[in-house]
Amino acid sequence: MCGFAGFLNASLPRNASQLLRQMTDAIRERGPDDEGQWIDEGAGIALGHRRLSIVDLSPAGHQPMVSASGRYVIIFNGEIYNHQLLRAELEAASPNHGWRGHSDTETLLAGIERWGLVETLRRSAGMFGLALWDREFRQLHLTRDRIGEKPVYFGWQGHGMERSFLFGSDLKALWPHPSFRFEVDRTGLTSLLRFGYVAKPLSIFEGIGKLEPGMIATVSLERPEPVLNPYWNFREVVQECLADPLTGSPEETTAELERLLKQAISRQMEADVPVGAFLSGGVDSSTIVALMQEIARERGQQPVRTFTIGFEDQRYDEAPFAKA
């Protein structure tokens, strides 16, 4: 987990750097390993990041990260599980590409430079929220993974010269900005009381929205109203699958399911730090841990470490199942 925050304003305040640090300090627990800033006063953009180092622990993974050409600047929260495959494609197309490190963030930037943002997102498998600043067109792109595992909040706040476009991976990252208004959105509150959560694209605060999964929001000072475009659509995927259903036997289908699960889990075990699993004892986590152990054995690695939360009240205690 990492965290990011930023703001866009036609006239950045003199204390923009200090203000940005207050915003990222509010989400320090999301990224205790490193922090960074990138500010362009002429363009009116400020990007801040807090890093939890998982892939490439070196300074080469520092964010905000600028692309090789200097056109793009990114702040990224999440992980691209197939970034090694994407990097291999990029290296095949450009053998002399000078990599600074081996982070998935750098791979993502290189893909955006070669294929564009939409195509790179379509090729990427992972969980993420990110903000991408295009220095050439002075546009800010916010995007989120297909299922919406990582959140992105955004919206215009304030009035006059103080009117700012705020964005971040956590609502409380926006609070330190002086333009932020602590006004409860009544529709969002109704959703909370009715369903137990605030339904997208709302948030609990007036004027602040939650980016929907599989969506790109583009905003600029010249075109302040965010333009929303999907790069992935769940309904279309379902329709494609219904049009081309599986035709194998139950045994073949079971084998294919196991292959796909193992492939996905294997990619998510790629890290430069120890990887563990939260084990509840249910079918889902038990299946994942079993496949993790199998992958670890094949790689000659140590057994996977698992963690479980137990309760004194046996009605809620799953520790015996996890132990089994």
Side-chain angles (χ1 to χ4, degrees):
M1 185 194 304
C2 295
F4 65 81
F7 51 92
L8 179 67
N9 187 300
S11 179
L12 292 185
R14 293 180 180 178
N15 65 335
S17 178
Q18 179 184 354
L19 179 56
L20 189 59
R21 177 161 284 109
Q22 291 173 352
M23 295 173 72
T24 55
D25 280 351
I27 52 173
R28 187 182 185 280
E29 74 281 358
R30 297 182 69 99
D33 297 330
D34 190 20
E35 63 176 321
Q37 295 186 356
W38 189 90
I39 299 174
D40 186 338
E41 294 183 5
I45 184 71
L47 305 174
H49 189 264
R50 294 290 323 199
R51 186 183 184 207
L52 177 67
S53 302
I54 300 295
V55 178
D56 194 345
L57 311 185
S58 76
H62 176 79
Q63 295 185 49
M65 185 179 291
V66 182
S67 66
S69 71
R71 175 178 173 179
Y72 298 104
V73 188
I74 195 172
I75 41 179
F76 175 74
N77 167 36
E79 190 172 350
I80 305 298
Y81 299 128
N82 65 334
H83 85 99
Q84 296 285 13
L85 296 176
L86 297 179
R87 184 170 287 218
E89 284 189 58
L90 292 164
E91 289 175 345
S94 180
N96 297 322
H97 185 91
W99 298 101
R100 289 167 286 183
H102 63 273
S103 72
D104 51 349
T105 308
E106 187 180 4
T107 304
L108 198 59
L109 270 178
I112 292 169
E113 289 209 307
R114 182 162 190 86
W115 301 313
L117 177 60
V118 173
E119 181 59 27
T120 300
L121 292 174
R122 288 173 177 168
R123 291 170 180 247
S124 300
M127 55 168 186
F128 55 85
L130 65 86
L132 180 76
W133 176 250
D134 185 336
R135 300 174 72 184
E136 180 177 340
F137 291 100
R138 293 195 173 191
Q139 290 180 330
L140 176 69
H141 304 285
L142 303 174
T143 190
R144 195 176 176 197
D145 61 73
R146 292 169 174 81
I147 304 300
E149 188 167 347
K150 294 297 183 182
V152 176
Y153 295 93
F154 66 96
W156 287 98
Q157 295 277 280
H159 303 281
M161 294 297 293
E162 295 183 355
R163 183 167 167 77
S164 301
F165 184 78
L166 310 181
F167 55 93
S169 51
D170 198 307
L171 267 176
K172 64 183 178 182
L174 313 185
W175 297 352
H177 197 283
S179 296
F180 188 84
R181 298 174 300 167
F182 289 87
E183 297 179 5
V184 172
D185 184 302
R186 290 182 176 273
T187 305
L189 179 59
T190 300
S191 173
L192 178 63
L193 296 175
R194 189 174 187 180
F195 304 116
Y197 65 94
V198 180
K200 60 181 187 298
L202 302 172
S203 82
I204 197 64
F205 292 109
E206 184 74 37
I208 298 296
K210 184 162 47 181
L211 187 62
E212 295 195 51
M215 191 72 70
I216 301 172
T218 301
V219 67
S220 67
L221 293 175
E222 290 71 28
R223 193 172 184 178
E225 186 64 28
V227 177
L228 301 175
N229 289 301
Y231 68 86
W232 186 84
N233 186 287
F234 179 74
R235 186 181 299 274
E236 291 178 359
V237 173
V238 171
Q239 290 174 345
E240 290 174 4
C241 293
L242 290 174
D244 185 25
L246 291 171
T247 57
S249 66
E251 292 76 18
E252 291 172 332
T253 303
T254 302
E256 177 63 6
L257 174 60
E258 182 170 347
R259 184 190 71 80
L260 291 172
L261 284 172
K262 191 173 179 181
Q263 179 188 73
I265 293 168
S266 177
R267 289 175 178 175
Q268 296 188 38
M269 290 174 66
E270 299 292 340
D272 294 328
V273 292
V275 176
F278 179 65
L279 181 59
S280 70
V283 174
D284 296 348
S285 65
S286 298
T287 300
I288 291 170
V289 168
L291 292 173
M292 288 179 71
Q293 295 283 32
E294 184 178 334
I295 293 166
R297 284 196 297 269
E298 293 174 354
R299 295 177 177 177
Q301 298 174 343
Q302 295 294 319
V304 175
R305 296 183 66 186
T306 61
F307 302 85
T308 299
I309 296 176
F311 297 90
E312 292 183 359
D313 189 332
Q314 296 195 3
R315 292 177 300 172
Y316 307 105
D317 186 27
E318 295 180 309
F321 304 105
K323 184 177 181 180

